[in-house]
Amino acid sequence: MLGTLDSPRRLPSEIDLALLWGTLMLLVIGMVMVYSASMATAEAGRQTGNQPAYFLVRHAVFLIIALVAAAVAFQIPLSTWQRWSPWLFVAGFALLALVLIPGIGRDVNGARRWLPLGIVNLQPSELMKLFAVLYAADYTARKMPHMHDLKKAFLPLASAMVAVGILLLKEPDFGAFVVIISIAMGILFLGGMRARLFVILILVLAAAFAALIIFSPYRRDRIFGFMDPWADAFGRGYQLSHALIAFGRGELFGVGLGASVEKLFYLPEAHTDFLLAVIAEELGFVGVLVVIVLFGLLIQRAFAIGRQAVALERLYSALVAQGIGVWLGVQSFINMGVNMGLLPTKGLTLPLMSFGGSGILANCVALAVLLRIDWENRQLMRGAKV
């Protein structure tokens, strides 16, 4: 019968409208800005057939696939996600390993991060972020009685994440590694890990990241380029210097939609990693502020939904919701920091907005899971079963 409480068919009052509309606004703004940022590059490229709308069409197709996948994901109960989370994590690990096999993984700009699937490429590290949230939440929920024990609570999960990290660093994809480690550590902390132990682990991780940078020449170059991009504006500081020029040109209200100069072959990766710089140039401080507020809204709603799940004694759901909040918060913060010159250059896209099929797919499915958690919370508060 239509409209029963145990059905995932939803009325407007049954879901978090702020979360839904915030997500849709970011997706729409992202599509418009991807078209604006990529138009010149697409028109001048042979591989794109000199079609200005090449990236727009592909982005729209990716978005349709992602929304269909999200609609399917919303129908899946959280109990099913929990049951399958270890297997999804194993599948993600296998895909990361598959990428590194010569002749299977695809190289782009010196990095092997993609699996060619005919007309599209799959980036396993994007899916692994979602799988890491689901698995870390399940692990923490199961280990809750031992959260104060380093050996029983932390080391097994740390071993799994180190194994994933080794594969990501082989690609290399340091940005995805940072996000996944942040997800795991965030969920452990939210799950009740002792503050003292957590601080010690953060210091150990900071030392490990510093070692990775010190002993990696190209990462050292990125750090030096970030500290003073103008010292080598045509070399290691090229991307950041042009991103800063874009921010400077945008001022308060921007130069106007479509009127960016930096996207005209000056700013590399304008429709992916540096989309925010184009937004800043064309829509100004106001446009950037809107994007920041929308991401802040999504993160706030993720943690609010998680707190509601805690009140309903749904620990796994709570950790998944807040883990998604950590993921979106960390990745969007890093991307924005890179664009603004606050952080070293990293190959991380802006969630929900940048061009990239795997990222859009993972983000939309994650937010559908978050909506499902909220829907189940509301059904339980009404006395229905989920």
Side-chain angles (χ1 to χ4, degrees):
M1 182 173 67
L2 294 178
T4 56
L5 287 178
D6 59 346
S7 168
R9 298 174 184 272
R10 51 206 185 280
L11 299 172
S13 60
E14 293 184 329
I15 60 172
D16 192 315
L17 292 179
L19 175 62
L20 178 62
W21 283 109
T23 300
L24 292 177
M25 288 177 68
L26 284 171
L27 290 172
V28 170
I29 295 171
M31 177 176 287
V32 172
M33 294 312 302
V34 162
Y35 181 41
S36 177
S38 66
M39 192 184 308
T41 303
E43 191 172 15
R46 290 183 179 180
Q47 294 182 339
T48 61
N50 305 110
Q51 300 176 6
Y54 177 83
F55 290 106
L56 172 64
V57 172
R58 289 176 67 85
H59 190 80
V61 171
F62 293 150
L63 186 53
I64 291 171
I65 293 172
L67 291 175
V68 171
V72 173
F74 180 81
Q75 309 300 315
I76 302 174
L78 263 293
S79 58
T80 302
W81 285 112
Q82 183 173 12
R83 187 165 60 250
W84 280 95
S85 58
W87 300 108
L88 290 172
F89 187 80
V90 170
F93 186 87
L95 289 174
L96 288 175
L98 198 61
V99 165
L100 298 175
I101 299 176
I104 296 181
R106 182 185 176 191
D107 288 333
V108 178
N109 296 329
R112 182 178 292 176
R113 303 175 184 173
W114 295 268
L115 290 172
L117 301 177
I119 60 174
V120 297
N121 295 315
L122 176 68
Q123 189 172 355
S125 60
E126 292 293 340
L127 300 181
M128 195 62 185
K129 294 169 188 174
L130 173 60
F131 299 160
V133 170
L134 298 172
Y135 175 69
D138 173 57
Y139 176 89
T140 303
R142 287 187 286 108
K143 295 288 184 177
M144 188 57 62
H146 310 289
M147 284 309 294
H148 298 308
D149 190 316
L150 177 66
K151 184 177 179 180
K152 292 182 179 180
F154 174 73
L155 291 182
L157 181 61
S159 300
M161 293 304 164
V162 166
V164 170
I166 291 172
L167 295 179
L168 289 170
L169 292 174
K170 287 284 187 181
E171 294 184 3
D173 194 346
F174 187 69
F177 176 54
V178 171
V179 172
I180 288 173
I181 292 298
S182 299
I183 289 169
M185 292 298 295
I187 288 176
L188 280 174
F189 179 73
L190 293 166
M193 177 177 283
R194 282 187 301 180
R196 182 180 177 184
L197 177 58
F198 184 77
V199 170
I200 293 172
L201 293 174
I202 290 294
L203 293 175
V204 171
L205 282 173
F209 286 145
L212 286 172
I213 293 169
I214 291 170
F215 294 106
S216 175
Y218 88 92
R219 291 193 184 104
R220 285 202 309 271
D221 286 343
R222 285 190 171 185
I223 291 293
F224 291 135
F226 149 73
M227 293 172 65
D228 187 6
W230 308 108
D232 187 12
F234 293 98
R236 60 193 181 195
Y238 183 79
Q239 283 181 308
L240 179 52
S241 61
H242 281 281
L244 293 176
I245 291 171
F247 271 86
R249 291 192 74 245
E251 298 183 347
L252 187 58
F253 296 106
V255 297
L257 183 62
S260 167
V261 171
E262 286 301 315
K263 69 183 181 184
L264 303 177
F265 313 105
Y266 294 105
L267 182 62
E269 310 297 340
H271 58 298
T272 55
D273 298 355
F274 284 89
L275 185 67
L276 188 70
V278 178
I279 294 174
E281 186 178 4
E282 295 191 347
L283 305 181
F285 171 78
V286 173
V288 173
L289 183 61
V290 168
V291 171
I292 292 173
V293 168
L294 288 173
F295 274 109
L297 173 64
L298 262 57
I299 295 163
Q300 185 273 331
R301 295 314 305 152
F303 278 86
I305 291 169
R307 287 194 299 272
Q308 184 62 65
V310 169
L312 294 169
E313 299 182 347
R314 306 179 66 225
L315 180 59
Y316 175 73
S317 296
L319 292 173
V320 170
Q322 296 180 345
I324 291 171
V326 170
W327 167 16
L328 293 177
V330 170
Q331 184 164 336
S332 59
F333 175 79
I334 292 176
N335 179 274
M336 292 176 186
V338 167
N339 276 255
M340 297 177 189
L342 302 176
L343 295 172
T345 304
K346 286 260 62 59
L348 279 176
T349 56
L350 191 58
L352 296 169
M353 299 187 73
S354 294
F355 177 81
S358 301
I360 290 289
L361 175 64
N363 297 156
C364 287
V365 171
L367 285 163
V369 172
L370 184 57
L371 281 169
R372 174 74 194 198
I373 294 169
D374 175 66
W375 183 84
E376 290 187 1
N377 287 348
R378 293 170 188 246
Q379 300 312 303
L380 288 171
M381 287 188 289
R382 291 171 179 170
K385 293 182 179 181
V386 294

